[in-house]
């Protein structure tokens, strides 16, 4: 294996930074979003100012992922409150019944975001300016991004880089720095500060509004938005200001010039010196004058404790800063200061004056904070508690700080306040939460007490929040807090109530995972289908957010029944309303979603079957008037589900239940190819390339044929078409026409009499021509409202052709067109690609926008998302276009055009393309509104996919378990609740439901099982289908118990009590207690059962658990046992010891006691950190020794040992008789075991120093390589080549490849690759291809990826493509993918290795390029687009493990 590919399969989910700001809209845009509450009868309870006001966006980053969200609020409707209050999460609060986060845009960057902040536009509430996002990257890169409406995405407005030779002097000779750049911003947006290289402060000056270019305000008037921008930058060297170590800095509120407050140490100290040297920190406030580039010191405060680490600027009108330390909180401003001790470790500077103390004891290291109002801050501690810090003030003078306890919540990595009604708790260790808060004065608090989620049924609560973080917030005591001091003035006391509104699932940090069989696995499956028998069981989270995540890449439905049904072409389910007359409309509202299907129509090769879908599926083909003599093309409902329409090749029938009411012959000459139904229209595409429309008349329930005039005369033949029903009280597409205010405002006044018809929304027809153009017509008039040339080339944005580009682009476009015409002949033969199927759908949701899908002949799926863009240049350009042509025809055309409609292309990562076979016309896309509570689109074919829509984002989940699927439809009846039916190509009809326990709003479907403790390691016991798992739970113990366990028992020392006061001995201290739990998966989505628990002794940590196969030399049989390695943690004065434990696991009996029995235990010197079985022997890494034991059935006897200098073995891997071990500091060792002579030999080692995280063997045919990941987020691949001279006669492992992953890889898993399609043809080198293994890895960010071996030809092709893409693709935030993937040595000496890994994260941009660019790039590197795509396809096929 000389070459490999690096591929991400599940992106990071642990949120590291979060911020809020008006990025996609300004403050002025969003204020009318929420109408004021009618305050007639509410006046008494609610203070009038309690409006949610304009809500900013939420921006989050997880490793290298950047996402922008908008908060959608559902108002409480007074009339409907009884119905909706129970369904929304968290009940009604402050007039809001629910809130959710909706994705605006998502980017995967070529670099991990270190810190992020939002640069405010610094203007008032009705300003039209927007905020920008500032991102900082390792070592000193800063990018400023703003939202661009025209592309509905982020655009880089400035980049600032302080790396490279000309900035070396900033580093002052240092190579490694404790942390990346920290960026903070002035609250009024005048400047921003970035701290890089420890002591260099970069000031970014923002361009001031109104002083900039002429006519700033005029530009705003015409509709384009102006975002905050950075004008210039300069550097302040803080060393010159006599600062030695900067801990934090921030900008203070309420000054005329920006004031930066810096928390720093004058003299350094460390834990061993604290008793002599403490209170070393101080704060300095500098007034930053960006024009003069001066920074005078205006005030400072000294003698702050050495453990102060965070500054929190106090908002106006109070001003000043709060300094947070581990044991105390201090308030400082220019005029006043105050300190609050949090626990007994807090001391004042000279021990003389007494500090005021909080009413309870708490440690605040690693806390995050946010202001809920101008005098109340919320702190989130390291245990996940929320505390409220109240500043009691008078005017601008703070008298006192009050700290009070609140609820428990998730362990946060950051908090962002969103407006004045929400905050977001971002977390790396658990699920992140969106919480609504409201403050009430203490007088009216009594009615508020009670459980927040009392109304929500428990099943719904489970499905919506799989995290125990929510349960914690629910079960915690209700937040009704008075001040701790009773003499406080009652008026200043605020109490808050919280309500969780939304949550993001997080599967990180992944410490370990196991690969096991699913519960509903199919033992007979082969090939790709066999892969979906497996799932990953992962240890994730920490402390009370610890959980077991069960991840599956592909969906495996739960089958209800299965019938053999060969030769099926299509299936449809239809509704039938029995009730006629006037009560139809009243029932329609309530039961629309829950109505059961009436008939199932199955189209076979030469006939059609009809089944009733009541309790049992009974065939009623003979007794109904359906057309059953031939196959059906499509079937569906018309006229509000009162009629069924069935379309066959030469005609259509309208049925009322079982009785035909109309039979309509369609055409003699040509047959129907595809059908699209949108009540009351049916669109037919005929085999002669024409279109016919069946128009229904709701009053008589009949249809008539209408061939649209547009298509009668046209010669262009149509390759695909569909109808789009823009439903709802306010249809979305209407907003995009230029006279939107006209159409909505006046229509309602006219249509008041028959409002029902108006509510149905609009219907549009989307048509794609053979030539590749796409047009949208309104129905039934067939005026063209939107048209695009070359839809099939997959451009990033679709813009109406009537809107020509702004003038500077026109020349470019003209020259491009002429080139295209010239190159036409050469290119046409290469791609005869056209669109074979279209679908356009807007799923339910108040603010949802339509998606447009197209499938091309080569299997490419294009997915576009519509958005609204009101460009300033629209009006003038179209007028010019109109005058140029004959004005009569186009004037009304341009008026009816949806001029503000645009589409942005959405990347689909996980799908594998498949060629459309010529001659198949069956439609592959089926839209579903509710399957197990999810909505989206199902794509049938040889590798079926589920596209599910959550928060306006598409999640793609494959379904591999049945191979190819030919037909799919939804089914909702008594036995199958919101389920579905599909037919496999083998001819089985299966009725299924989606697995209920999983959550699908994630990159892979995931189920979380809360453990209430930290999971450390998990392994899979295949014979019994059990998962042994190490869990540690923090337990509070008295201090004297803890101290006595730290004493060496044999020496028998007494504790010297003089250092510890007697009152302190009774205080409690938190200690982790370890145990091994043995879990068994439950049937279908229920929580897993703990079958047995193996407790550890006190102060004993379980380090590793493994299932080992040992050869019993007395009985001459193999035994499968559970081995546990432990270590006693007793402080540095006691010699290290550990135990190895062996357990036998019996068959599952009802009595769970004798499931696990200990058969052997032995104490060894040193911690036992890794175990493995090697050819029937047990290999134990105990401290600095590696010992091989044989098993007699009663005891372990050592047979061989190896004394390398490993300090602590992190991982052991074994292949045949080869051993790979990774050490915490000493890199990797490669050993072999010889049976004769019984010796462990060192073959080779890596002579560099490397802090290993995980190791594994990589096997490619007959080649063996060694892979290792390290603490700098790199991976390296080594190989053993004793014949090569540079390996020093084989002592040294040689580097084969190195790569920067950008995440800590904690575990590799070796899995056999699947044979890809192109390999089957070349059976000659078959043997080499079959023995090919890829490595699946998990990281601490919650991401999964794989390293897969490549053959040289593919590698060279993809590598040259990668070099081209670095320049061809515009990279977000201006980051260079090459520099991101360079090996990081963090200042250690490192000899660069070969660059033999290709980066699929960069290669995946190739599919998103327009076709023309794909061809051009492929041509430049001397290959074809088809070849590249088939290589990428084979790679994703070969690595679809789950």
């Amino acid at each position: 294996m000389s070459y490999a590919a690096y591929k991400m399969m599940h992106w990071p989910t642990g949120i590291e930074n979060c911020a809020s700001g008006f990025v996609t809209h300004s403050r002025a845009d969003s204020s009318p979003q929420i109408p004021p509450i009618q305050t007639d009868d509410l006046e008494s309870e609610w203070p009038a100012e309690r409006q949610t006001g304009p809500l900013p966006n939420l921006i989050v980053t997880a490793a290298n992922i950047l996402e922008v969200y908008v908060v959608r609020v559902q108002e409480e409707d007074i009339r409907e409150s009884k119905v909706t209050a129970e369904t929304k999460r968290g009940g009604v609060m402050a007039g809001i019944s629910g809130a959710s986060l909706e994705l605006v845009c998502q980017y995967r960057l070529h670099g991990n975001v270190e810190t992020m902040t939002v640069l405010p536009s610094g203007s008032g509430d009705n300003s039209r300016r927007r905020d920008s996002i500032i991102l900082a990257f390792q070592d000193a890169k800063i990018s400023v991004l703003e939202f661009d409406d025209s592309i509905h995405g982020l655009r880089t407005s400035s980049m600032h880089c302080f790396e490279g030779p000309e900035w070396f002097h900033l580093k002052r000779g240092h190579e490694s720095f404790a942390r990346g750049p920290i960026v903070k911003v002035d609250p009024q947006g005048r400047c921003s500060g970035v701290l890089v290289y420890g002591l260099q402060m970069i000031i970014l000056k923002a361009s001031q509004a109104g002083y900039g270019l002429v006519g700033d305000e005029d530009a705003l008037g015409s509709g384009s938005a102006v975002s905050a921008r950075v004008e210039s930058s300069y550097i302040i060297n803080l060393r010159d200001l006599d600062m030695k170590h900067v801990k934090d800095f921030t900008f203070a509120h309420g000054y005329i010039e920006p004031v930066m407050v810096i928390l720093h140490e004058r003299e350094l100290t460390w834990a061993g010196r604290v008793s002599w040297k403490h209170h070393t920190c101080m704060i300095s406030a500098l007034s930053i004058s960006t024009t003069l580039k001066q920074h005078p010191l205006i005030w400072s405060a000294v003698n702050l404790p050495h453990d102060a680490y965070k500054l929190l600027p106090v908002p106006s009108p109070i001003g000043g800063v709060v300094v947070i330390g581990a044991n105390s909180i201090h308030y400082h401003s220019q005029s006043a200061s105050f300190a609050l001790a949090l626990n007994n470790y807090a001391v004042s500077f000279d021990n003389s004056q007494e500090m005021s103390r909080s009413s309870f004891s708490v440690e605040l290291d690693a806390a995050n904070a946010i202001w809920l109002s101008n005098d109340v801050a919320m702190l989130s501690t390291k245990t996940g508690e929320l505390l409220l810090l109240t500043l009691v003030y008078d005017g601008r003078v703070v008298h006192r700080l009050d700290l009070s306890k609140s609820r428990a919540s998730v362990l946060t990595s950051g908090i962002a306040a969103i407006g004045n009604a929400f905050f977001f708790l971002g977390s790396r260790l658990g699920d992140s939460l969106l919480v609504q808060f409201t403050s009430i004065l203490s007088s009216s608090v009594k009615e508020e007490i009670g459980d927040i989620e009392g109304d929500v049924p428990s099943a719904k609560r489970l499905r919506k929040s799989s995290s125990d973080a929510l349960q914690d917030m629910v079960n915690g005591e209700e937040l009704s807090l008075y001040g701790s001091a009773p003499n406080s003035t009652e008026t200043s006391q605020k109490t808050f109530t919280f309500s969780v509104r939304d949550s993001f699932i997080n599967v990180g940090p992944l410490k370990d995972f196991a690969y096991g069989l699913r519960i509903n696995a199919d033992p007979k499956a082969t090939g790709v289908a066999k892969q979906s028998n497996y799932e990953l069981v992962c240890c994730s989270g920490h402390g009370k957010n610890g959980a077991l995540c069960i991840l599956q890449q592909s969906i495996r439905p739960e089958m209800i029944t299965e019938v053999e049904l060969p030769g099926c072409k299509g299936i449809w389910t239809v509704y039938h309303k029995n009730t006629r007359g006037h009560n139809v409309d009243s029932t329609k509202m309530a039961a629309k979603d829950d109505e059961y299907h009436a008939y199932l129509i199955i189209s076979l090769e030469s006939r059609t079957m009809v089944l009733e879908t009541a309790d049992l599926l009974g065939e009623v083909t003979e007794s109904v008037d359906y057309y059953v003599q031939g196959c059906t093309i499509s079937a569906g409902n018309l006229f509000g589900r009162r009629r069924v329409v069935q379309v066959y090749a030469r005609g259509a029938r309208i049925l009322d239940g079982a009785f035909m009411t109309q039979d309509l012959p369609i055409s003699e000459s040509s047959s129907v190819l595809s059908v699209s139904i949108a009540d009351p229209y049916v669109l037919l595409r005929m085999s002669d390339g024409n279109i016919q429309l069946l128009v229904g008349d709701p009053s008589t329930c009949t249809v008539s044929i209408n061939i649209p005039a547009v298509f009668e005369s046209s010669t262009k033949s149509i390759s695909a078409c569909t109808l789009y029903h823009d439903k709802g009280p306010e249809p979305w597409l209407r907003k995009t026409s230029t006279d939107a205010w006209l159409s909505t405002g006046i229509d309602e006044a006219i249509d008041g009499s028959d409002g029902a018809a108006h509510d149905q929304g609009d219907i549009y027809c989307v048509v794609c021509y053979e030539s590749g153009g796409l047009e949208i017509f309104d129905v039934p008039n067939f005026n063209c409202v939107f048209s695009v040339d070359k839809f099939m080339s997959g451009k990033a944005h679709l813009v109406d052709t009537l809107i020509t580009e702004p003038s500077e682009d026109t020349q470019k476009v003209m020259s491009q067109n002429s080139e295209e015409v010239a190159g036409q002949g050469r290119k046409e033969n290469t791609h005869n690609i056209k669109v074979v199927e279209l679908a356009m759908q807007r799923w339910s949701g108040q603010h949802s926008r339509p998606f447009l899908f197209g499938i091309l002949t080569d299997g490419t799926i294009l997915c576009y998302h519509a958005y609204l863009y009101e460009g300033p240049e629209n009006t003038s350009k179209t007028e010019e276009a109109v005058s140029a042509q004959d004005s009569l025809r186009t004037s009304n055309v341009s008026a009816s055009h949806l001029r503000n409609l645009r589409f942005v292309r959405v990347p689909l990562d996980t799908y594998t393309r498949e060629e459309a076979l010529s001659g198949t016309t069956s439609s592959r896309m089926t839209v579903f509104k509710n399957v197990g509570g999810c909505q989206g689109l199902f794509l049938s074919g040889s590798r079926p996919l589920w596209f599910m829509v959550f928060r306006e984002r598409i999640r793609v989940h494959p379904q591999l378990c049945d191979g190819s699927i030919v037909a799919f439809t939804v089914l909702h009846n008594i036995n199958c609740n919101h389920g579905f039916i599909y037919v496999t190509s083998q001819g089985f009809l299966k009725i299924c439901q989606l697995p209920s326990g999983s959550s699908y709003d994630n990159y892979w479907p995931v189920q979380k099982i809360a453990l209430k403790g930290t999971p450390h390691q998990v392994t899979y016991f295949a014979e019994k289908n059990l998962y042994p798992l190490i869990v540690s739970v923090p337990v509070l113990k008295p201090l004297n118990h803890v101290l006595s366990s730290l004493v060496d028992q044999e020496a028998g020392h007494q504790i010297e009590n003089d250092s510890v006061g007697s009152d302190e001995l009774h205080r409690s201290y938190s200690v982790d207690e370890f145990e091994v739990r043995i879990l068994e998966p439950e049937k279908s989505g229920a929580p897993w059962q703990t079958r047995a628990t193996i407790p550890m002794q006190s102060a004993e940590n379980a380090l590793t658990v493994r299932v080992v196969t040992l050869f019993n030399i007395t009985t001459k049989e193999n035994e499968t046992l559970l081995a546990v390695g432990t270590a006693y943690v007793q402080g540095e004065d006691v010699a290290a010891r550990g135990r190895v434990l062996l357990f036998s696991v019996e068959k599952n009996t009802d009595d769970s006691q004798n499931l696990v029995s200990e058969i052997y235990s032995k104490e060894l010197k040193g911690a036992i950190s890794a175990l493995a079985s090697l050819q029937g022997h047990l290999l134990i890494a105990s401290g600095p020794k590696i010992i091989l034991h044989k098993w007699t059935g009663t005891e372990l006897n050592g047979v061989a040992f190896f004394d390398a200098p490993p300090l602590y073995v992190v991982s052991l891997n074994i292949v045949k008789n080869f051993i790979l071990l990774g050490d915490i500091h000493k890199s990797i060792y490669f050993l072999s075991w010889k049976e004769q002579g019984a010796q462990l030999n060192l073959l080779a080692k890596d002579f560099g120093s490397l802090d290993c995280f995980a190791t594994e063997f990589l096997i490619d045919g007959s080649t063996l390589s060694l892979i290792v990941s390290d603490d700098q987020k790199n991976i390296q691949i080594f190989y053993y080549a004793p014949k090569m001279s540079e390996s020093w006669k084989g002592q040294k492992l040689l580097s084969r490849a190195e790569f920067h992953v950008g995440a800590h890889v904690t575990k590799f898993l070796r899995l056999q690759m699947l044979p890809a399609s192109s390999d089957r043809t070349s059976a000659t080198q078959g043997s080499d291809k079959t023995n090919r293994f890829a490595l699946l890895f998990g990281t601490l960010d919650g991401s999964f990826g794989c390293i897969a071996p490549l053959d040289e030809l593919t590698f060279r092709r993809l590598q040259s493509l990668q070099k081209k893409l670095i320049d061809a693709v515009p990279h977000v935030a201006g980051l260079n993918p090459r520099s991101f993937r360079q090996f990081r040595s963090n200042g250690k000496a490192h000899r660069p290795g070969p660059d033999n890994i290709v980066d699929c994260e960069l290669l995946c941009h190739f599919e998103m390029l327009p076709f023309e660019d794909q061809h051009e790039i492929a041509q430049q590197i001397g290959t074809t687009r088809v070849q590249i795509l088939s290589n990428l396809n084979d790679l994703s096929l070969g690595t679809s493990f789950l």
Side-chain angles (χ1 to χ4, degrees), residues 68-234:
V68 180
Y69 289 90
V70 58
V71 181
R72 297 293 189 199
V73 172
Q74 286 95 42
E75 291 299 302
E76 177 191 12
D77 194 347
I78 309 298
R79 294 159 311 201
E80 295 180 12
S81 59
K82 295 292 167 283
V83 186
T84 55
E86 287 103 52
T87 57
K88 298 286 190 302
R89 174 144 140 203
V92 178
M93 177 163 144
I96 292 176
S97 64
S100 59
L101 290 164
E102 179 187 295
L103 184 75
V104 180
C105 53
Q106 181 209 27
Y107 295 98
R108 306 210 296 264
L109 311 175
H110 297 290
N112 290 348
V113 180
E114 290 291 318
T115 51
M116 168 182 70
T117 187
V118 169
L119 177 66
S121 53
S123 27
D125 261 0
N126 50 5
S127 142
R128 299 200 60 88
R129 286 168 61 90
R130 296 183 182 174
D131 307 341
S132 297
I133 305 170
I134 305 183
L135 303 175
F137 302 92
Q138 226 33 311
D139 283 318
K141 294 192 254 310
I142 303 141
S143 290
V144 186
L145 303 177
E146 60 183 50
F147 188 78
D148 182 355
D149 284 320
S150 62
I151 59 170
H152 198 72
L154 296 174
R155 194 179 57 189
T156 312
S157 70
S158 63
M159 289 150 50
H160 312 266
C161 182
F162 296 89
E163 294 173 17
E166 66 271 37
W167 298 105
F168 272 166
H169 63 277
L170 296 181
K171 293 187 175 187
R172 308 279 303 217
H174 288 265
E175 277 298 326
S176 71
F177 297 93
R179 50 188 178 178
I182 304 170
V183 52
K184 296 280 169 75
V185 68
D186 171 52
Q188 289 170 357
R190 293 165 296 194
C191 70
S192 164
V194 188
L195 181 68
V196 298
Y197 301 133
L199 285 166
Q200 304 289 341
M201 179 67 70
I202 298 164
I203 302 290
L204 304 176
K205 181 188 177 188
S207 53
Q208 294 292 325
Y211 304 132
L213 302 164
V214 201
D216 234 0
E217 294 305 315
D218 307 348
L220 295 174
S222 65
S224 72
V226 173
S227 302
R229 298 208 174 150
V230 170
E231 191 179 86
S232 59
S233 65
Y234 66 97

Side-chain angles (χ1 to χ4, degrees), residues 720-724 733 765-768 773-776 786 788 791-792 798 835 837-843 849-855 861-867 901-906 908 925 937 947 949 954:
C721 59
T722 183
L723 288 178
Y724 164 58
L733 280 181
C765 170
V766 188
V767 172
C768 219
L774 173 118
E775 295 195 342
I776 301 181
F786 184 84
V788 177
F791 168 69
M792 86 285 160
L798 301 183
V835 178
E837 196 181 344
L838 278 172
M840 186 165 170
Q841 177 69 25
R842 183 177 136 224
W843 282 276
R849 313 193 306 277
F851 284 95
L852 174 66
F853 293 88
I855 302 183
I861 302 167
L862 300 177
C863 170
Y864 284 93
H865 201 177
Y867 66 95
L901 172 64
R902 292 196 176 185
F903 290 91
V904 59
R905 184 153 171 212
V906 180
L908 305 171
M925 291 192 271
L937 180 140
F947 293 90
V949 180
I954 291 224

Side-chain angles (χ1 to χ4, degrees), residues 519 688 1259 1323 1352 1439:
I519 300 157
D688 59 3
I1259 298 172
E1352 182 167 3
T1439 55

Side-chain angles (χ1 to χ4, degrees), residues 916-927:
L917 304 168
S918 53
T920 55
T921 55
S922 65
S923 65
R924 288 175 56 196
M925 291 192 271
T926 314
V927 170

Side-chain angles (χ1 to χ4, degrees), residues 1327-1346:
S1327 60
D1328 206 34
K1329 288 284 174 73
T1330 50
N1331 191 26
R1332 174 172 268 197
F1333 289 80
L1335 297 180
L1336 183 71
F1337 63 80
T1339 73
L1340 290 180
D1341 295 329
S1343 58
F1344 283 96
C1346 71

